[in-house]
Amino acid sequence: MATSIGSLDSCKPTNNNVGCPPQNGTASVHDSHPPSTIASSDATLGRHLARRLVEIGVQDVFSVPGDFNLTLLDHLIAEPGLKNIGCCNELNAGYAADGYARARGVGACVVTFTVGGLSVLNAIAGAYSENLPVICIVGGPNTNDYGTNRILHHTIGLADFSQELRCFQTVTCFQAVVNNLEDAHEQIDTAISTALKESKPVYISISCNLPGIPHSTFSREPIKFAISPRMTNKMGLEVAVEAAAAFLNKAVKPVMVGGPKLRVAKAHEAFVTAQDVSTMIRCEQKSIIFLINNGGYTIEVEIHDGPYNVIKNWNYTGLVDAIHNGEGNCWTTKVRTEEELTEAIATATGEKKDCLCFIEVIVHKDDTSKELLEWGSRVSSANSRLPNPQ
């Protein structure tokens, strides 16, 4: 992770190319046409940031207003290609940007200093763990307040303005504190390109008195980021697939769990196109799908049971019937006993062998493995230890 604070600690690229390549790509800069000149009234930090967001695919920015970010919001909403979505609280804004990044590839939220930044922090931490490029923009203190030992409102009552920054350093891949215009252009571009390159959130704090001030560095359209196509190592991929297949074939109870790296590798569609029931039916798959329904969070039940571990169940077989909708070959059933399960398997492998078969197996909430029961007991004992004598 890197931090850039004003002109004191700028993070500069190792060459003149500003880009956002994937992990094993290279960056380049498109400059086939001279950038057009921007009117001085629009040559501001706020408008530059807005244009950058639009350029990378952000059309909606999720925000909660506060006095430190109001001028910045004025300049963001002045950008025709950017729509401001006002949220009820900062955590909602952060999770909205998280969801937007999942759907669109990158998201952005705007909050105010400390009271807003600390509120949105949990959503940004989630985006970090899920490898989501979320641009978290915070309206920061006036540049004249830095170093004055003043205590500002909406803070925790300390004159140290770095508390929010220190919190974000652990859950973002780059942090920029923009409190002067000379290197604001570089800091913003570096932060955004790093988010795209690393597929992680970044933190950008912008002093509240800077967004509307024209500056020569914002007088031209920003040079576009360029991403080189990601090249696959075919030989390495083949070896990896063979190793994975061998590992699964040796497993007694194989289970595949998709993690956040699927999104970074742009492989989520391939992993899902395996679970998509409607596509299976359309493609005339003859798979047998078992859904084990234990009615709740069994792993939590074995640690500490309570009514909060029970979930509202769906009619899962009815859901598959709705997806089927009378088109293609599909058969569903719900079983509650061992005899019914044996009969269902016989039907799926016999009379309905030309169908996609979906079998929902209803089991008791405590019907689990010996290993999970033992693990739950150990965790329960560990969690309930009494405090040591003082």
Side-chain angles (χ1 to χ4, degrees):
M1 294 181 291
T3 303
S4 182
I5 303 180
S7 59
L8 300 178
D9 186 18
S10 296
C11 179
K12 298 183 178 179
T14 55
N15 53 43
N16 291 328
N17 294 342
V18 178
C20 48
Q23 293 167 334
N24 60 350
T26 56
S28 62
V29 173
H30 289 303
D31 196 18
S32 56
H33 301 286
S36 58
T37 301
I38 296 174
S40 60
S41 60
D42 292 331
T44 62
L45 184 158
R47 290 302 297 275
H48 173 80
L49 176 58
R51 287 188 290 267
R52 273 302 193 206
L53 292 176
V54 171
E55 180 201 336
I56 63 174
V58 175
Q59 296 178 340
D60 304 274
V61 62
F62 303 93
S63 70
V64 176
D67 57 334
F68 290 114
N69 69 13
L70 297 178
T71 302
L72 175 61
L73 288 174
D74 284 341
H75 287 266
L76 293 180
I77 64 177
E79 171 59 43
L82 195 62
K83 182 179 180 181
N84 179 65
I85 308 296
C87 299
C88 295
N89 61 62
E90 290 84 2
L91 194 58
N92 288 355
Y95 281 125
D98 174 298
Y100 197 90
R102 294 172 191 267
R104 300 288 297 271
V106 60
C109 58
V110 182
V111 299
T112 195
F113 182 59
T114 302
V115 67
L118 297 184
S119 180
V120 79
L121 192 64
N122 201 45
I124 301 303
Y128 188 88
S129 67
E130 290 287 320
N131 295 95
L132 293 166
V134 172
I135 316 298
C136 182
I137 304 161
V138 176
N142 188 293
T143 58
N144 297 298
D145 288 328
Y146 281 90
T148 62
N149 207 36
R150 291 183 59 192
I151 295 177
L152 299 181
H153 61 291
H154 284 177
T155 67
I156 63 170
L158 296 177
D160 180 5
F161 297 165
S162 67
Q163 187 210 35
E164 179 184 87
L165 169 65
R166 295 197 305 273
C167 292
F168 275 93
Q169 283 175 330
T170 61
V171 293
T172 55
C173 66
F174 186 88
Q175 309 85 35
V177 178
V178 181
N179 53 24
N180 73 82
L181 290 173
E182 296 300 324
D183 63 352
H185 184 289
E186 179 182 353
Q187 288 202 74
I188 289 171
D189 285 2
T190 303
I192 293 175
S193 63
T194 303
L196 298 177
K197 177 183 176 181
E198 303 294 334
S199 194
K200 293 278 191 181
V202 294
Y203 167 85
I204 304 176
S205 173
I206 298 177
S207 291
C208 61
N209 58 331
L210 296 185
I213 303 175
H215 193 269
S216 59
T217 56
F218 306 121
S219 62
R220 293 185 178 276
E221 290 287 348
I223 298 173
K224 292 184 177 181
F225 297 128
I227 305 176
S228 297
R230 183 168 184 167
M231 305 302 293
T232 299
N233 183 327
K234 187 176 181 180
M235 183 179 297
L237 179 62
E238 290 175 353
V239 171
V241 170
E242 290 175 1
F247 181 80
L248 289 172
N249 289 334
K250 291 178 182 177
V252 177
K253 298 178 180 179
V255 176
M256 293 184 67
V257 180
K261 297 297 183 182
L262 285 171
R263 189 182 303 107
V264 180
K266 302 189 184 302
H268 56 283
E269 291 186 2
F271 187 82
V272 169
T273 302
Q275 300 182 35
D276 192 327
V277 174
S278 63
T279 302
M280 289 180 177
I281 297 172
R282 179 169 55 84
C283 295
E284 301 181 349
Q285 292 292 303
K286 307 299 189 295
S287 305
I288 301 176
I289 301 174
F290 293 92
L291 186 146
I292 312 300
N293 184 352
N294 58 14
Y297 300 114
T298 293
I299 192 168
E300 306 297 345
V301 167
E302 303 309 332
I303 298 173
H304 185 93
D305 199 6
Y308 32 75
N309 291 325
V310 180
I311 63 172
K312 175 67 178 71
N313 263 249
W314 295 356
N315 182 358
Y316 297 104
T317 54
L319 179 62
V320 174
D321 288 334
I323 294 172
H324 171 219
N325 197 27
E327 300 176 356
N329 295 324
C330 180
W331 177 73
T332 66
T333 189
K334 186 178 297 187
V335 302
R336 292 177 171 81
T337 67
E338 184 176 343
E339 291 76 16
E340 290 177 351
L341 177 60
T342 301
E343 183 180 344
I345 293 174
T347 301
T349 56
E351 178 186 349
K352 300 296 183 181
K353 65 180 181 181
D354 290 329
C355 297
L356 175 75
C357 297
F358 181 91
I359 302 174
E360 180 180 359
V361 183
I362 307 298
V363 299
H364 191 272
K365 66 183 179 66
D366 292 324
D367 187 354
T368 184
S369 67
K370 177 174 68 71
E371 292 79 10
L372 180 59
L373 287 170
E374 293 174 349
W375 179 86
S377 178
R378 290 198 301 270
V379 173
S380 178
S381 297
N383 288 353
S384 59
R385 287 172 295 172
L386 294 176
N388 291 325
Q390 298 299 318

